[in-house]
Amino acid sequence: MSSHNQTSLSRRRFIKQIAGGAAALGAGTALSPVLAQSSGSLPPAINTLTPGSVLRWIDSGDQKAVFYKAFFQQYAQNRGIEVIYDPLPWNEIAKVVPLGVRNKTAHDVFALPQNTNPADAVNEGWLQPYDDFIPDIDTWKAGFPEGAFLPGINVFDGKTYGLPFTSNKRSSTHLLFNRAYLQEAGFDPETTALTHSDFREAARKITENGKGRYFGFILGGNQIGRWSAIVRDIARLAGASAGADSVIEADIDFRTGEYTFDSDQYIQAVELLIALQKDGSMFPGVMGINAPQARAFMPQGAAGMILQGPWNIPAWESQNPEFDFGIGSAPLPDEGAAGHLTIGQGAAAPNTMWLWSGSTQGAIAGDIFHYLGTLQGQTAWANVVGAGDPPIMPEAIENADMSPRAKAVLQLFNEQIRVGPNPVVGNPALSAVVSAFQAPDLSFALTVQGLVGGQLSDVSKEMKALKTRYDDALNQAFDKARAAGSDVSRDDLVFANWNPADDFGSKDY
């Protein structure tokens, strides 16, 4: 390993909580009965439900589908109703939900398509609040962490529209690795996080040891958002003060309001991926596989490392119990202090669920929402879904029977992730800017993909041009919002009191 990595061991130490060997699922991950994992039974309904009623629910599936399939079966039997659950990929949700709303055949409860602004969904009549379906809703909401319900995010005109029952305090780019391959290469990322140089060297050695049978690193390269997510988080951990993961300000330094694409940290992160490609350390054909395909190759032994999210942990532990894998930090800088990742305060996570305006099943939805927003429901959720989509209530994490890996990755998130400003909370009128913003055709993700693939060259030049493109697009969005009557300016993106190393709370606006 590099001498710098040895001398900075105390700064980079990641507490090793995972016993050797492939960890099997803990007892709490048994799927039936889901409710018995917390208190043993479903509490009485909070509303009067009509026997034989049908509720339709759609979301993006993955590990949470394991919980829902078991929970909805038990819930329907207990309540004397029927629940139709449709887990679909995000690209299908982007088609099904708008079409259902337009044709007045939408699911009763749905996840909004990615990059759909909740304020637009409310203004266009897609949604209805659920205040009338949860008795004493203010008391119920008081059981959530501070910042769970915020104007412009999931509260509009004083009414509650979105159920934020999972935490967005997670990273989609932490390290998951084949222990045997890393050990053979001479690295232990669970004890000492890899630096940029270590990451490149580990990938090179794994590829060399694989002799064409396996490679050092894999990612789903045709799912272009993976390129921007990986570069963004490696750059943040190297000290780039980029904002939260939302449409317009994910790569803005909130202390200045300026995009950070041309910073040294972003450029170095891109260059690291280019180096992996030039070394021959990337799995062949990464440009043609998506994220689910890439993660499926890992248990097959096709690659040694992947930068993805915690949803892999319960999936691999249950479906590939023989796969001996570890988890750790994304690459850290070779020199200097590591930075932090940033999530937006109150940012509506992809798991936030919404009630269709045309639904007549608000009583059932309110009953389910209420349960999922209690400690009992949160604990039952945590026992099945684990760290993949962690519950929003910290007490549920403490109560849950999670695997050692799941607990370790949540500890890593606590160490590395901080809550940053959410400009829409500071000025809800910025929702109009979010709606008007159109990313450049040659986007951040496509620029990185082009640089790694060789279609583009000169990283510094391209990243400066990228900053100019995004500045132009953002200025046009502000102009459009102001022309429509919104009182907004780019000054609304500046929070001079923001310290990326600290959580930014409601009192800080």
Side-chain angles (χ1 to χ4, degrees):
M1 296 186 185
S2 69
S3 59
H4 173 75
N5 198 28
Q6 295 281 9
T7 58
S8 300
L9 183 61
S10 60
R11 178 171 69 86
R12 297 194 169 92
R13 185 168 297 280
F14 177 53
I15 298 176
K16 193 169 184 177
Q17 301 184 25
I18 306 170
L25 280 170
T29 55
L31 300 184
S32 182
V34 169
L35 303 178
Q37 295 167 5
S38 47
S39 68
S41 64
L42 186 68
I46 61 169
N47 298 317
T48 300
L49 308 182
T50 303
S53 297
V54 179
L55 178 87
R56 298 171 61 226
W57 181 297
I58 183 173
D59 63 30
S60 61
D62 289 329
Q63 184 64 17
K64 59 181 173 289
V66 179
F67 171 85
Y68 279 135
K69 288 176 182 178
F71 169 67
F72 285 145
Q73 180 182 8
Q74 293 175 253
Y75 179 86
Q77 292 173 349
N78 182 282
R79 300 294 200 241
I81 63 166
E82 181 181 358
V83 178
I84 298 174
Y85 175 53
D86 293 319
L88 292 177
W90 281 112
N91 60 342
E92 292 298 317
I93 288 176
K95 301 173 185 175
V96 171
V97 171
L99 181 63
V101 172
R102 186 164 58 248
N103 294 341
K104 299 183 179 180
T105 58
H107 289 70
D108 298 284
V109 176
F110 53 71
L112 284 172
Q114 290 179 312
N115 295 333
T116 295
N117 183 7
D120 288 344
V122 172
N123 292 335
E124 293 173 11
W126 287 25
L127 309 173
Q128 62 175 306
Y130 52 86
D131 300 64
D132 292 340
F133 305 114
I134 296 181
D136 195 11
I137 192 171
D138 289 337
T139 299
W140 175 77
K141 288 166 62 174
F144 284 72
E146 190 268 342
F149 297 95
L150 291 169
I153 304 300
N154 50 19
V155 176
F156 301 91
D157 295 326
K159 295 292 186 179
T160 308
Y161 283 82
L163 170 65
F165 65 99
T166 64
S167 172
N168 64 341
K169 194 172 187 180
R170 64 175 188 175
S171 166
S172 69
T173 61
H174 71 84
L175 177 66
L176 298 110
F177 63 92
N178 184 309
R179 281 204 184 110
Y181 292 174
L182 266 293
Q183 184 177 8
E184 185 180 16
F187 295 89
D188 181 5
E190 286 171 329
T191 298
T192 306
L194 302 179
T195 64
H196 293 192
S197 297
D198 293 333
F199 191 77
R200 179 181 183 181
E201 180 65 8
R204 187 192 66 78
K205 286 187 176 180
I206 292 169
T207 303
E208 180 182 281
N209 294 337
K211 302 184 187 313
R213 294 176 291 113
Y214 53 84
F215 296 82
F217 178 66
I218 191 170
L219 81 160
N222 83 342
Q223 193 165 318
I224 61 169
R226 298 309 303 158
W227 296 103
S228 51
I230 289 172
V231 167
R232 178 182 298 122
D233 283 356
I234 291 177
R236 286 170 169 174
L237 289 173
S241 299
D245 294 326
S246 65
V247 177
I248 60 171
E249 70 268 1
D251 302 286
I252 286 178
D253 184 341
F254 287 140
R255 297 171 303 181
T256 63
E258 297 296 326
Y259 280 108
T260 56
F261 295 122
D262 60 342
S263 67
D264 290 343
Q265 294 91 343
Y266 271 66
I267 290 171
Q268 290 164 8
V270 176
E271 290 175 338
L272 175 59
L273 293 181
I274 293 173
L276 295 177
Q277 181 77 312
K278 287 184 176 179
D279 291 345
S281 299
M282 282 193 184
F283 182 82
V286 293
M287 297 297 180
I289 60 176
N290 60 30
Q293 290 169 330
R295 64 175 175 253
F297 277 120
M298 286 291 293
Q300 297 174 24
M305 298 184 292
I306 190 170
L307 297 173
Q308 268 200 23
W311 46 84
N312 292 284
I313 296 172
W316 287 347
E317 289 180 336
S318 61
Q319 299 168 19
N320 307 96
E322 76 290 343
F323 178 39
D324 186 13
F325 69 96
I327 60 100
S329 171
L332 298 178
D334 286 334
E335 302 291 342
H340 290 87
L341 306 178
T342 303
I343 57 174
Q345 189 205 30
N351 294 326
T352 298
M353 300 307 297
W354 311 84
L355 180 61
W356 176 42
S357 59
S359 173
T360 60
Q361 304 297 349
I364 301 175
D367 190 40
I368 294 173
F369 284 3
H370 181 272
Y371 173 75
L372 293 174
T374 64
L375 184 56
Q376 176 188 345
Q378 289 271 290
T379 302
W381 172 274
N383 281 334
V384 174
V385 184
D389 289 300
I392 196 170
M393 294 180 183
E395 299 92 334
I397 295 175
E398 296 174 5
N399 294 343
D401 184 9
M402 294 185 184
S403 75
R405 289 189 186 93
K407 292 180 179 179
V409 80
L410 288 177
Q411 177 190 331
L412 176 65
F413 294 162
N414 283 331
E415 293 173 357
Q416 292 191 332
I417 298 175
R418 297 293 181 268
V419 178
N422 187 330
V424 175
V425 176
N427 181 4
L430 284 171
S431 292
V433 179
V434 176
S435 300
F437 181 78
Q438 295 290 327
D441 290 339
L442 185 52
S443 65
F444 176 24
L446 287 173
T447 298
V448 177
Q449 185 188 53
L451 286 166
V452 176
Q455 292 80 22
L456 300 174
S457 60
D458 194 335
V459 177
S460 179
K461 176 183 175 182
E462 290 296 339
M463 296 302 279
K464 288 179 180 177
L466 180 67
K467 180 180 185 298
T468 299
R469 290 196 296 275
Y470 270 78
D471 272 326
D472 291 344
L474 185 56
N475 288 335
Q476 290 173 18
F478 271 97
D479 289 343
K480 185 175 181 180
R482 283 191 291 265
S486 296
D487 184 11
V488 293
S489 76
R490 285 196 61 162
D491 290 341
D492 293 325
L493 303 179
V494 178
F495 299 85
N497 59 330
W498 177 47
N499 181 354
D502 297 329
D503 286 330
F504 194 94
S506 298
K507 67 182 185 304
D508 298 314
Y509 286 93

